[in-house]
Amino acid sequence: MKPYAAVGAARFPGCHSTFGVALPRAIIRRHFRGCPTACVAPLTKQELRSYVYFCYPRFLRCPYSGGHIGTTPLYMKHIIILGDGMADEPIAELGGLTPLQYAPTPAMDRLAQLGASGRLHTVPDGFHPGSEVANLSILGYDLPTVYEGRGVLEAASMGVDLRPGELGLRCNLICIDGDRIKNHSAGHISSEESDVLIRYLNEQLGSDDVTFHHGVSYRHLLVLRGGDRRLDCTPPHDIPLHPFRPALVKARVPEAEATANRLNDLILRSQQLLADHPINVKRRAEGKDPANSIWPWSPGVRPAMKTLRELYGIGSSAVISAVDLIRGIGVYAGMDVINVEGATGLYDTNYEGKAAAAIEALRTHDFVYLHIEASDEAGHEGDVELKVRTIEYLDRRIVDPVFRAVSQWDEPVAIAVLPDHPTPCAIRTHTNAPIPFVIYKPGATPDAVERYDEFAAVDGSYGLLRKDEFMKVFLR
């Protein structure tokens, strides 16, 4: 400890470890959120940490802003661990418990005991409960200002730079059985198989005005030049086992009628082309669902989004996800996109690799967004047992190793765990119900919540938050 105290004493004469001593104005104004103007004092990050952690390990109140600091360290890194679609509703076969209540989750429960809980509205009024809406909302973006659909965010992840006049849409490969949508994922077709099919569709349906871009598994991108985004497009995961024709694209205004007709023509022509493609012949022979139709949805144009640095003053940030949507949000938010080998977006993803990547990212970044897709896919499949297992995996293979690792560091790390939206197994699609969250900050006073789940969070000290309130309390 002596070298650090020496740094503080050398730069700030009179430095000592008295509890509650006020910080010099220069440090407070430059590094404590809530104080007024910025300061130009040439402090290095190491000097700040040395001074804060070892010279003044406890603080009470900033004398300039009046902001309460309590026993939480002044400088802290942050990680959000997001279990996509993890929240659910009580299920009879689980004894009336939700998967979060039923699954053994000692690591998340430990965070609840050490931290504080609450609930968050992630779907603003008037918005569909899509993952793009919920994740943008968690990060504190104003949805009416920035929302342009899912496809444009995935385009950013794929390196597709949408130009003025271009319309981007998510384009699923789905399975049609008779006249009904069997599933939204073509039986979770592999990326290798889907690459062949997307290339084939580009050859047969592509033109100067129509381009298909390959993504991951069943998730792809369709770009139209000159399209009108004023469309009603139904996400295929919202209508499993429903007839597809009533859900075809519809124009919301007469000017969009040509675009709707164009998209519906592409859907019907894709079904003719894919029906007997060798990939699907092989999949049927293996007892797998064929990818026998495209399904475009969530149209939009290039969004105007501020970065996290512009919104919150976050220095460096990183996103880790197997899903193009989340990676695309990261691109527009100014985050470094970190790739993890073996990350699939399913229950068989490389949990250990993602945890290790997150821990390493926290060494070099101030904020990390770690996204795990598996629980959402289990919910869409209506597979209760699989959803419970994915939650167990998240707890044991992600939350536990991350918490154990950062707990050994001198530099404190705040951890938040939450889903983006519920994906109840009973209905196999998203809902707009508030989601439970837990925030752990080293040194902060915990609330009385002992478990992490949908019902325990109701009693959390954070209450029910909306809009950018979650990010503000997390970063505070």
Side-chain angles (χ1 to χ4, degrees), residues 52-323:
V52 170
Y53 300 150
F54 297 102
C55 302
Y56 293 94
R58 296 290 186 269
F59 306 97
L60 293 177
R61 187 173 295 276
C62 167
Y64 301 103
S65 71
H68 187 265
I69 304 176
T71 59
T72 303
L74 187 61
Y75 179 85
M76 195 178 299
K77 294 195 172 189
H78 296 79
I79 179 171
I80 290 177
I81 300 176
L82 191 133
D84 200 303
M86 178 166 60
D88 211 301
E89 298 170 356
I91 298 174
E93 64 188 272
L94 299 181
L97 301 177
T98 69
L100 259 178
Q101 291 178 301
Y102 186 86
T105 56
M108 289 189 279
D109 292 344
R110 180 65 173 156
L111 290 180
Q113 294 157 15
L114 295 173
S117 299
R119 295 185 300 155
L120 174 64
H121 269 295
T122 60
V123 182
D125 294 341
F127 283 85
H128 184 273
S131 290
E132 72 281 15
V133 169
N135 282 273
L136 286 169
S137 182
I138 287 169
L139 289 171
Y141 283 98
D142 179 48
L143 269 295
T145 302
V146 306
Y147 182 72
E148 281 293 345
R150 185 177 190 129
V152 296
L153 298 171
E154 295 178 335
S157 174
M158 297 176 188
V160 178
D161 187 17
L162 290 177
R163 299 170 183 171
E166 291 185 333
L167 185 69
L169 300 95
R170 157 67 90 86
C171 186
N172 281 39
L173 286 175
I174 68 172
C175 178
I176 299 284
D177 186 11
D179 66 344
R180 296 177 181 271
I181 295 177
K182 184 175 182 182
N183 57 60
H184 69 288
S185 63
H188 292 294
I189 188 171
S190 71
S191 294
E192 293 75 18
E193 292 172 309
S194 63
D195 182 50
V196 175
L197 296 180
I198 292 298
R199 289 176 184 273
Y200 175 65
L201 290 172
N202 249 333
E203 294 171 0
Q204 300 297 316
L205 300 178
S207 66
D208 291 341
D209 297 331
V210 176
T211 307
F212 295 89
H213 296 269
H214 182 257
V216 177
S217 183
Y218 63 88
R219 312 175 190 97
H220 311 287
L221 175 71
L222 172 60
V223 176
L224 294 183
R225 289 155 195 87
D228 192 310
R229 61 180 171 170
R230 292 171 292 179
L231 304 167
D232 280 332
C233 300
T234 304
H237 53 258
D238 281 359
I239 48 172
L241 308 181
H242 286 68
F244 76 88
R245 289 186 181 277
L248 288 171
V249 181
K250 299 176 179 62
R252 289 195 281 117
V253 295
E255 293 83 355
E257 196 70 44
T259 303
N261 292 338
R262 194 173 173 194
L263 290 169
N264 290 330
D265 180 64
L266 289 171
I267 291 172
L268 298 176
R269 289 171 64 192
S270 77
Q271 293 176 7
Q272 298 172 356
L273 291 167
L274 294 174
D276 296 316
H277 190 281
I279 289 289
N280 284 327
V281 171
K282 183 174 181 289
R283 287 182 64 81
R284 281 192 290 264
E286 294 172 347
K288 299 177 181 178
D289 290 331
N292 55 9
S293 181
I294 63 167
W295 195 266
W297 57 286
S298 196
V301 298
R302 184 186 179 96
M305 285 173 56
K306 291 184 177 180
T307 66
L308 295 184
R309 181 188 294 270
E310 292 169 326
L311 284 175
Y312 305 109
I314 294 173
S316 56
S317 56
V319 61
I320 301 170
S321 177
V323 178

Side-chain angles (χ1 to χ4, degrees), residues 383-459:
D383 192 328
V384 175
E385 185 276 329
L386 180 60
K387 186 162 188 180
V388 169
R389 187 161 21 120
T390 61
I391 292 170
E392 291 178 16
Y393 286 168
L394 178 77
D395 186 82
R396 174 164 51 87
R397 301 166 69 180
I398 295 288
V399 178
D400 184 63
V402 169
F403 177 62
R404 287 179 182 273
V406 302
S407 295
Q408 303 303 311
W409 296 359
D410 290 333
E411 187 172 54
V413 177
I415 301 173
V417 177
L418 71 165
D420 48 355
H421 50 69
T423 308
C425 292
I427 61 174
R428 297 175 59 178
T429 191
H430 305 170
T431 70
N432 61 1
I435 55 91
F437 68 84
V438 59
I439 292 175
Y440 162 72
K441 295 180 182 179
T445 302
D447 61 18
V449 175
E450 295 286 319
R451 283 185 50 84
Y452 174 67
D453 63 57
E454 299 90 342
F455 294 95
V458 173
D459 297 323

